Amino acid sequence: MTTTRLLTSRSADAWGQLLLGCHTAGLPRDTYFEICERDDGYISGYDAVGFFAGPGDWPELDRWAFTRFRGRVLDIGVGAGRFAVPFQDGGGEIVGLDVSADTLDVCRRRGLRETFLGTVDDVPQSTRFDTFLLLGRNLGLLESRDRGPRLLSTLARLARPGARIVGTGMDPYLLDGAQHTEYLAQNRRRGRMSGQMRLRLRHRLLVTDWFDYLFTSLPELESLAEGTGWQVAEVERHGPEYGVVLTLG
Amino acid sequence: MTTTRLLTSRSADAWGQLLLGCHTAGLPRDTYFEICERDDGYISGYDAVGFFAGPGDWPELDRWAFTRFRGRVLDIGVGAGRFAVPFQDGGGEIVGLDVSADTLDVCRRRGLRETFLGTVDDVPQSTRFDTFLLLGRNLGLLESRDRGPRLLSTLARLARPGARIVGTGMDPYLLDGAQHTEYLAQNRRRGRMSGQMRLRLRHRLLVTDWFDYLFTSLPELESLAEGTGWQVAEVERHGPEYGVVLTLG
């Protein structure tokens, strides 16, 4: 009996069930973990309580980003609503978008009024936003050399004049450890971007499909944005992590 | 590329490296996780900082167990020395035994003077103890219907007169959730004990081999002890978890 064979027969929403379980249980520490597996076998964990943290407990980079929301906001990959709920509670106008119905359920239980189930490609063309959020390292949703520019172009079409993207990401070249250096090199040999992480999330018996999640250097990010209308207007670095504001040129 | 194929080519000490990494890094929270995979794909996490907790932060069951150590003690599966270090520091005489050299390295760095690398079968027959510890649910090391009585018999041979085993375990029939009920039923169909968990630990790129870890009801534990010289003398229950003292009849 191998784990892989059994797991691939399940397609339930590991990520949403993790957040829903953690929320329903009253956010106990040391009980719900985001367990993330990379396709070289590298595995990592993170206490899911962190996805519910309030602004006072956020890392500095998140607080930096939070001050940069303007107008009507689309939170892409809203998760448990860590940014969306306090922004709405402070009088802001924000829509939480996610492909996971369970995460949107969590957001609504936490009081978020506007949610959208789907990807940015599913958002009606008549809908417009002033700010697009790619937080919690969700610049990773740029996925790949092909998908990144397409996602940015979609956001440009949904943008009001003067719109911005506020995102956080990770510079893969600043990751510590031979295991990461080797992974990056292997990606390049396979024609992928260095920081194109192939991941899946696991929770209890559930597992997501494999997906690409992209870590880029800032020059790589600028290169992905070329021709999409967006350009990097502001940068905030914290070790290998960074925050950026992109604006329409 | 499948995860399983890559992982099985590695035999390094995931558990020891986890504890060593966590200790070396200064016990940061939310950074080092024990990630445990069951052979049906069920996965769970636990912040490794808990393995270094001092008596003030222990669950009640561990504090109950700690008051029951007597004389010269053998801590079986000593891990990071959570019990052994404070017991020694309080003037107690204790040997930390583990099959992981890295965990013993951690114990020595934390000041534990006596360590033994191997299983109880490797302990010289001339060595005798007053107390054997199977804590942190290490009654699980009884493994199976076959291995359990053999382990207990080995401990009887290493016992001084009046010796005891102090252990904690988990009643598998009190575990919540259909995923566990189904696993127990599947075990029975395969001729295994209900709570015979087939597990492996993962850390970063490392993985242990699969091993059996046994959860038993108290009647099952009594049945495993039959004919080994040991019998259950004291029981403390906390939900599905319990502590026991076994003495030589």
Side-chain angles (χ1 to χ4, degrees), chain B residues 15 17 21 28 31 34 42 47-48 91 98 119 121 149-150 152 154 174 194 204 211 213 225-226 238 241-242 244:
Chain B
W15 168 238
Q17 282 288 309
T31 311
E34 180 201 50
Y42 186 87
D47 195 317
D98 214 294
T119 73
D121 296 317
R150 280 193 283 129
L152 292 173
T154 300
L174 301 181
S194 296
R204 309 279 196 250
F211 58 91
Y213 200 71
E226 262 171 41
H238 287 264
E241 301 196 83
Y242 57 79
V244 287

Side-chain angles (χ1 to χ4, degrees), chain A residues 27-125:
Chain A
L27 308 184
R29 280 200 75 92
D30 264 339
T31 311
Y32 290 88
F33 295 93
E34 181 201 49
I35 295 176
C36 180
E37 210 174 11
R38 200 168 63 187
D39 68 347
D40 62 343
Y42 186 87
I43 200 161
S44 59
Y46 180 74
D47 195 317
V49 169
F51 297 118
F52 295 84
D57 293 320
W58 290 350
E60 208 176 321
L61 195 58
D62 288 340
R63 293 200 301 271
W64 173 89
F66 195 57
T67 62
R68 273 140 183 91
F69 302 7
R70 302 282 182 272
R72 182 164 170 81
V73 180
L74 182 66
D75 189 346
I76 300 165
V78 65
R82 185 160 60 106
F83 296 99
V85 172
F87 186 67
Q88 174 193 276
D89 290 352
E93 191 183 348
I94 189 161
V95 179
L97 174 147
D98 214 294
V99 294
S100 157
D102 286 331
T103 69
L104 296 185
D105 189 10
V106 171
C107 286
R108 282 187 298 264
R109 290 177 190 212
R110 300 184 72 206
L112 190 66
R113 285 186 293 270
E114 295 193 74
T115 58
F116 184 88
L117 179 63
T119 73
V120 290
D121 296 316
D122 304 316
V123 175
Q125 283 296 323

Side-chain angles (χ1 to χ4, degrees), chain A residues 1 3-4 6 10 29-30 33 37 39-43 45-47 179 190 202 204-205 210, chain B residues 1 3-4 6 10 29-30 33 37 39-47 179 190 202 204-205 210:
Chain A
M1 175 158 62
T3 300
T4 300
L6 283 168
R10 299 190 193 93
R29 280 200 75 92
D30 264 339
F33 295 93
E37 210 174 11
D39 68 347
D40 62 343
Y42 186 87
I43 200 161
Y46 180 74
D47 195 317
Q179 67 272 49
R190 295 159 71 198
R202 293 176 62 178
R204 310 281 194 252
L205 279 170
W210 290 102
Chain B
M1 175 159 63
T3 300
T4 300
L6 284 168
R10 299 190 194 95
R29 280 199 75 93
D30 266 338
F33 295 93
E37 209 174 12
D39 67 348
D40 62 342
Y42 186 87
I43 200 161
S44 59
Y46 180 74
D47 195 317
Q179 67 273 48
R190 295 158 70 198
R202 293 176 61 178
R204 309 279 196 250
L205 279 170
W210 290 102

